[in-house]
Amino acid sequence: MSERLAVVALCATGDELDDPLEWSSLDPEILEVAPNGLATARSDGIARVRGAFGSLSEQVQVSVRARVASVDVEPPSLELNLDETRQLTAVLRDANGNEISSRRQVTWRSSNADVAGVTADGLVVGRTPGTAVITAASEGVEGTAEVRVLPPPVGSIELTPEADFIGVGMQTRFTARLFDVNGNLLPPQPVTWRSLSPGVASVDADGNAVALAEGRTLITAEVGGVADTATLDVGPAVQVVVIPAVATLGPEQDMLFQAQVTGTSNQSVRWTSSHPNTVTIFSSGRAAFGECGPPTVTITATSTPYPYASATAIITVVGCSFAPPPGR
């Protein structure tokens, strides 16, 4: 910003002189003054300005107040633990990038005070895990800093599998619960998963394990150097075959189905019918006709020990009148 300085020079009689004065600045880094009196502000502060006429001169002080052009918050980003405090500083600069040294009013605010609060002096405190943006504003100009509040350190991990025994080709999911050193449950955090015998079972980044071969492996979950392990046993693939696979059944008829289970010593199965009112299947595998219904019924046998496997048989219903398909 520039302004032209003016002064009146008087002779001994008190009359005003018409000859121009010569101007100069003793602090040109703050205020630059041309000989014709055109003054240009360079930075915040107080500058000494001299006006001369011949051997006469006069000196005045000019206060320069720079306009805030930018605000830098230092540090621009930081991480805090819970209840930890850190001082932020707002650095004000003028249009030339010079730091403004004179005192200016700065207001502070947080985008999420539940995560990180800030005082009127820029002191930040971590309250809950998460991220908040701290803003410093002065004369309508703002600057920001990002604050990340870290969760408490993990003290222990509790690892739980949906199932600790599965067959080849099956999968199960492991869940990791995190606790702090006082045993308090922590919010979920990224977990590093690893199988100590990847040839037996693999595990992905979400804790899903897939059985690849018979054997035993340890599944490990780790966070920040704290880990827990769980055992996963892999048995042979369980398969079920229903005999006969196809059959016919009509009114007042019944028949016996058999289920052969391989891959486990437990031969128990659970029988179900797709249309139990038409064909009822009992726990012994005996199927009995009930009433006319759909032309086909599906019988399913599912192995009861985990991992579950199933097979089906198709029964064609005879001796009933079925409505012809639409359009015929």
Side-chain angles (χ1 to χ4, degrees):
M1 181 176 178
S2 299
E3 292 280 352
R4 185 174 297 278
L5 302 178
V7 71
V8 175
L10 303 176
C11 62
T13 61
D15 297 322
E16 184 175 335
L17 299 176
D18 294 330
D19 294 338
L21 274 68
E22 183 176 344
W23 297 90
S24 62
S25 172
L26 301 181
D27 302 289
E29 70 280 3
I30 298 175
L31 184 68
E32 187 178 281
V33 181
N36 62 0
L38 184 65
T40 303
R42 296 303 182 192
S43 65
D44 216 41
I46 297 177
R48 296 164 296 169
V49 177
R50 177 179 295 169
F53 179 80
S55 60
L56 302 176
S57 66
E58 183 65 30
Q59 180 176 304
V60 296
Q61 289 185 337
V62 178
S63 178
V64 178
R65 180 180 175 86
R67 293 178 179 175
V68 177
S70 65
V71 178
D72 295 331
V73 179
E74 296 181 353
S77 63
L78 71 156
E79 293 183 342
L80 293 177
N81 295 315
L82 294 180
D83 298 324
E84 183 183 3
T85 59
R86 189 79 61 84
Q87 182 66 52
L88 294 178
T89 303
V91 179
L92 313 182
R93 301 186 187 277
D94 61 22
N96 297 317
N98 299 311
E99 183 175 342
I100 297 175
S101 58
S102 62
R103 185 175 179 81
R104 304 294 174 90
Q105 182 177 3
V106 177
T107 58
W108 296 87
R109 68 177 185 273
S110 171
S111 64
N112 192 338
D114 292 334
V115 172
V118 62
T119 68
D121 297 325
L123 184 67
V124 182
V125 57
R127 290 176 175 164
T128 59
T131 301
V133 176
I134 305 299
T135 300
S138 180
E139 299 180 10
V141 183
E142 297 181 346
T144 61
E146 184 177 87
V147 177
R148 179 170 175 253
V149 181
L150 303 175
V154 176
S156 62
I157 300 177
E158 181 181 276
L159 193 56
T160 305
E162 288 181 347
D164 57 9
F165 176 85
I166 58 176
V168 174
M170 306 297 289
Q171 72 174 27
T172 187
R173 181 180 177 84
F174 286 80
T175 302
R177 295 204 306 164
L178 312 180
F179 299 87
D180 63 19
V181 293
N182 296 318
N184 300 309
L185 183 65
L186 297 176
Q189 299 180 38
V191 175
T192 300
W193 294 93
R194 188 162 58 101
S195 172
L196 299 187
S197 298
V200 173
S202 64
V203 62
D204 64 15
D206 296 320
N208 297 307
V210 177
L212 304 175
E214 294 181 43
R216 169 175 289 187
T217 185
L218 294 177
I219 303 298
T220 300
E222 181 180 351
V223 177
V226 179
D228 189 24
T229 60
T231 300
L232 177 63
D233 289 313
V234 178
V238 176
Q239 294 181 334
V240 178
V241 176
V242 175
I243 302 173
V246 293
T248 58
L249 200 63
E252 299 183 3
Q253 292 182 344
D254 62 17
M255 65 178 299
L256 185 64
F257 287 89
Q258 291 182 332
Q260 294 181 349
V261 183
T262 58
T264 177
S265 60
N266 192 330
Q267 297 294 299
S268 301
V269 296
R270 183 179 68 255
W271 293 95
T272 56
S273 170
S274 62
H275 296 84
N277 290 335
T278 300
V279 176
T280 301
I281 186 79
F282 298 95
S283 60
S284 62
R286 186 174 69 88
F289 184 89
E291 62 184 32
C292 289
T296 60
V297 175
T298 301
I299 299 299
T300 303
T302 303
S303 61
T304 54
Y306 190 88
Y308 309 117
S310 62
T312 60
I314 303 298
I315 296 178
T316 300
V317 178
V318 296
C320 295
S321 298
F322 301 105
R328 294 189 179 181

PDB file of all heavy atoms in Angstrom, residues 53-69:
ATOM      1  N   PHE A  53      14.725  20.266   3.737  1.00  0.00           N
ATOM      2  CA  PHE A  53      14.698  21.428   2.852  1.00  0.00           C
ATOM      3  C   PHE A  53      15.997  22.195   3.081  1.00  0.00           C
ATOM      4  O   PHE A  53      16.195  22.827   4.124  1.00  0.00           O
ATOM      5  CB  PHE A  53      13.492  22.325   3.169  1.00  0.00           C
ATOM      6  CG  PHE A  53      13.421  23.542   2.302  1.00  0.00           C
ATOM      7  CD1 PHE A  53      12.902  23.445   1.013  1.00  0.00           C
ATOM      8  CD2 PHE A  53      13.873  24.777   2.760  1.00  0.00           C
ATOM      9  CE1 PHE A  53      12.827  24.580   0.221  1.00  0.00           C
ATOM     10  CE2 PHE A  53      13.801  25.898   1.953  1.00  0.00           C
ATOM     11  CZ  PHE A  53      13.285  25.814   0.687  1.00  0.00           C
ATOM     12  N   GLY A  54      16.895  22.047   2.121  1.00  0.00           N
ATOM     13  CA  GLY A  54      18.203  22.648   2.291  1.00  0.00           C
ATOM     14  C   GLY A  54      18.909  22.020   3.473  1.00  0.00           C
ATOM     15  O   GLY A  54      19.053  20.796   3.563  1.00  0.00           O
ATOM     16  N   SER A  55      19.340  22.889   4.406  1.00  0.00           N
ATOM     17  CA  SER A  55      20.042  22.383   5.589  1.00  0.00           C
ATOM     18  C   SER A  55      19.077  22.044   6.732  1.00  0.00           C
ATOM     19  O   SER A  55      19.503  21.595   7.782  1.00  0.00           O
ATOM     20  CB  SER A  55      21.055  23.421   6.074  1.00  0.00           C
ATOM     21  OG  SER A  55      20.396  24.636   6.420  1.00  0.00           O
ATOM     22  N   LEU A  56      17.790  22.283   6.480  1.00  0.00           N
ATOM     23  CA  LEU A  56      16.794  22.022   7.513  1.00  0.00           C
ATOM     24  C   LEU A  56      16.165  20.646   7.302  1.00  0.00           C
ATOM     25  O   LEU A  56      15.964  20.198   6.162  1.00  0.00           O
ATOM     26  CB  LEU A  56      15.696  23.094   7.485  1.00  0.00           C
ATOM     27  CG  LEU A  56      16.165  24.543   7.680  1.00  0.00           C
ATOM     28  CD1 LEU A  56      14.994  25.504   7.525  1.00  0.00           C
ATOM     29  CD2 LEU A  56      16.810  24.704   9.062  1.00  0.00           C
ATOM     30  N   SER A  57      15.843  19.975   8.367  1.00  0.00           N
ATOM     31  CA  SER A  57      15.187  18.668   8.259  1.00  0.00           C
ATOM     32  C   SER A  57      14.336  18.410   9.501  1.00  0.00           C
ATOM     33  O   SER A  57      14.556  19.012  10.549  1.00  0.00           O
ATOM     34  CB  SER A  57      16.212  17.539   8.103  1.00  0.00           C
ATOM     35  OG  SER A  57      16.998  17.404   9.263  1.00  0.00           O
ATOM     36  N   GLU A  58      13.371  17.533   9.334  1.00  0.00           N
ATOM     37  CA  GLU A  58      12.508  17.137  10.437  1.00  0.00           C
ATOM     38  C   GLU A  58      12.240  15.626  10.310  1.00  0.00           C
ATOM     39  O   GLU A  58      12.121  15.096   9.209  1.00  0.00           O
ATOM     40  CB  GLU A  58      11.185  17.913  10.418  1.00  0.00           C
ATOM     41  CG  GLU A  58      10.260  17.606  11.576  1.00  0.00           C
ATOM     42  CD  GLU A  58      10.840  18.039  12.907  1.00  0.00           C
ATOM     43  OE1 GLU A  58      11.617  19.037  12.947  1.00  0.00           O
ATOM     44  OE2 GLU A  58      10.533  17.372  13.923  1.00  0.00           O
ATOM     45  N   GLN A  59      12.183  14.960  11.448  1.00  0.00           N
ATOM     46  CA  GLN A  59      11.990  13.506  11.450  1.00  0.00           C
ATOM     47  C   GLN A  59      10.706  13.160  12.199  1.00  0.00           C
ATOM     48  O   GLN A  59      10.424  13.728  13.245  1.00  0.00           O
ATOM     49  CB  GLN A  59      13.188  12.819  12.107  1.00  0.00           C
ATOM     50  CG  GLN A  59      13.088  11.313  12.169  1.00  0.00           C
ATOM     51  CD  GLN A  59      14.357  10.703  12.743  1.00  0.00           C
ATOM     52  OE1 GLN A  59      15.452  10.924  12.249  1.00  0.00           O
ATOM     53  NE2 GLN A  59      14.193   9.945  13.827  1.00  0.00           N
ATOM     54  N   VAL A  60       9.945  12.218  11.632  1.00  0.00           N
ATOM     55  CA  VAL A  60       8.723  11.757  12.279  1.00  0.00           C
ATOM     56  C   VAL A  60       8.719  10.234  12.279  1.00  0.00           C
ATOM     57  O   VAL A  60       9.444   9.590  11.509  1.00  0.00           O
ATOM     58  CB  VAL A  60       7.462  12.286  11.560  1.00  0.00           C
ATOM     59  CG1 VAL A  60       7.381  13.802  11.649  1.00  0.00           C
ATOM     60  CG2 VAL A  60       7.425  11.825  10.117  1.00  0.00           C
ATOM     61  N   GLN A  61       7.892   9.682  13.135  1.00  0.00           N
ATOM     62  CA  GLN A  61       7.712   8.232  13.155  1.00  0.00           C
ATOM     63  C   GLN A  61       6.374   7.871  12.522  1.00  0.00           C
ATOM     64  O   GLN A  61       5.350   8.500  12.832  1.00  0.00           O
ATOM     65  CB  GLN A  61       7.768   7.695  14.589  1.00  0.00           C
ATOM     66  CG  GLN A  61       9.153   7.738  15.214  1.00  0.00           C
ATOM     67  CD  GLN A  61       9.182   7.077  16.579  1.00  0.00           C
ATOM     68  OE1 GLN A  61       8.157   6.969  17.241  1.00  0.00           O
ATOM     69  NE2 GLN A  61      10.353   6.652  16.997  1.00  0.00           N
ATOM     70  N   VAL A  62       6.435   6.877  11.653  1.00  0.00           N
ATOM     71  CA  VAL A  62       5.227   6.416  10.964  1.00  0.00           C
ATOM     72  C   VAL A  62       4.972   4.955  11.363  1.00  0.00           C
ATOM     73  O   VAL A  62       5.862   4.106  11.204  1.00  0.00           O
ATOM     74  CB  VAL A  62       5.372   6.527   9.434  1.00  0.00           C
ATOM     75  CG1 VAL A  62       4.116   5.993   8.747  1.00  0.00           C
ATOM     76  CG2 VAL A  62       5.639   7.973   9.034  1.00  0.00           C
ATOM     77  N   SER A  63       3.782   4.714  11.897  1.00  0.00           N
ATOM     78  CA  SER A  63       3.413   3.347  12.277  1.00  0.00           C
ATOM     79  C   SER A  63       2.808   2.639  11.061  1.00  0.00           C
ATOM     80  O   SER A  63       1.854   3.137  10.457  1.00  0.00           O
ATOM     81  CB  SER A  63       2.411   3.381  13.432  1.00  0.00           C
ATOM     82  OG  SER A  63       2.010   2.072  13.770  1.00  0.00           O
ATOM     83  N   VAL A  64       3.383   1.497  10.724  1.00  0.00           N
ATOM     84  CA  VAL A  64       2.908   0.715   9.574  1.00  0.00           C
ATOM     85  C   VAL A  64       2.219  -0.549  10.098  1.00  0.00           C
ATOM     86  O   VAL A  64       2.829  -1.339  10.831  1.00  0.00           O
ATOM     87  CB  VAL A  64       4.076   0.333   8.644  1.00  0.00           C
ATOM     88  CG1 VAL A  64       3.551  -0.517   7.483  1.00  0.00           C
ATOM     89  CG2 VAL A  64       4.771   1.588   8.136  1.00  0.00           C
ATOM     90  N   ARG A  65       0.979  -0.707   9.738  1.00  0.00           N
ATOM     91  CA  ARG A  65       0.211  -1.898  10.153  1.00  0.00           C
ATOM     92  C   ARG A  65      -0.134  -2.682   8.881  1.00  0.00           C
ATOM     93  O   ARG A  65      -1.009  -2.296   8.121  1.00  0.00           O
ATOM     94  CB  ARG A  65      -1.056  -1.501  10.904  1.00  0.00           C
ATOM     95  CG  ARG A  65      -1.892  -2.694  11.372  1.00  0.00           C
ATOM     96  CD  ARG A  65      -3.138  -2.227  12.107  1.00  0.00           C
ATOM     97  NE  ARG A  65      -4.018  -3.340  12.455  1.00  0.00           N
ATOM     98  CZ  ARG A  65      -3.901  -4.067  13.549  1.00  0.00           C
ATOM     99  NH1 ARG A  65      -2.933  -3.811  14.411  1.00  0.00           N
ATOM    100  NH2 ARG A  65      -4.747  -5.061  13.798  1.00  0.00           N
ATOM    101  N   ALA A  66       0.566  -3.788   8.703  1.00  0.00           N
ATOM    102  CA  ALA A  66       0.343  -4.595   7.500  1.00  0.00           C
ATOM    103  C   ALA A  66      -0.955  -5.364   7.612  1.00  0.00           C
ATOM    104  O   ALA A  66      -1.370  -5.775   8.700  1.00  0.00           O
ATOM    105  CB  ALA A  66       1.513  -5.561   7.297  1.00  0.00           C
ATOM    106  N   ARG A  67      -1.601  -5.559   6.483  1.00  0.00           N
ATOM    107  CA  ARG A  67      -2.800  -6.376   6.447  1.00  0.00           C
ATOM    108  C   ARG A  67      -2.421  -7.855   6.435  1.00  0.00           C
ATOM    109  O   ARG A  67      -1.456  -8.252   5.794  1.00  0.00           O
ATOM    110  CB  ARG A  67      -3.616  -6.046   5.203  1.00  0.00           C
ATOM    111  CG  ARG A  67      -4.206  -4.640   5.206  1.00  0.00           C
ATOM    112  CD  ARG A  67      -4.962  -4.372   3.921  1.00  0.00           C
ATOM    113  NE  ARG A  67      -5.544  -3.042   3.913  1.00  0.00           N
ATOM    114  CZ  ARG A  67      -6.181  -2.517   2.863  1.00  0.00           C
ATOM    115  NH1 ARG A  67      -6.300  -3.226   1.749  1.00  0.00           N
ATOM    116  NH2 ARG A  67      -6.684  -1.293   2.938  1.00  0.00           N
ATOM    117  N   VAL A  68      -3.198  -8.632   7.155  1.00  0.00           N
ATOM    118  CA  VAL A  68      -2.951 -10.077   7.179  1.00  0.00           C
ATOM    119  C   VAL A  68      -3.384 -10.674   5.839  1.00  0.00           C
ATOM    120  O   VAL A  68      -4.546 -10.563   5.433  1.00  0.00           O
ATOM    121  CB  VAL A  68      -3.721 -10.761   8.322  1.00  0.00           C
ATOM    122  CG1 VAL A  68      -3.519 -12.268   8.285  1.00  0.00           C
ATOM    123  CG2 VAL A  68      -3.277 -10.182   9.664  1.00  0.00           C
ATOM    124  N   ALA A  69      -2.428 -11.300   5.158  1.00  0.00           N
ATOM    125  CA  ALA A  69      -2.721 -11.924   3.860  1.00  0.00           C
ATOM    126  C   ALA A  69      -2.797 -13.439   3.956  1.00  0.00           C
ATOM    127  O   ALA A  69      -3.478 -14.088   3.154  1.00  0.00           O
ATOM    128  CB  ALA A  69      -1.663 -11.525   2.826  1.00  0.00           C
TER     129      ALA A  69
END
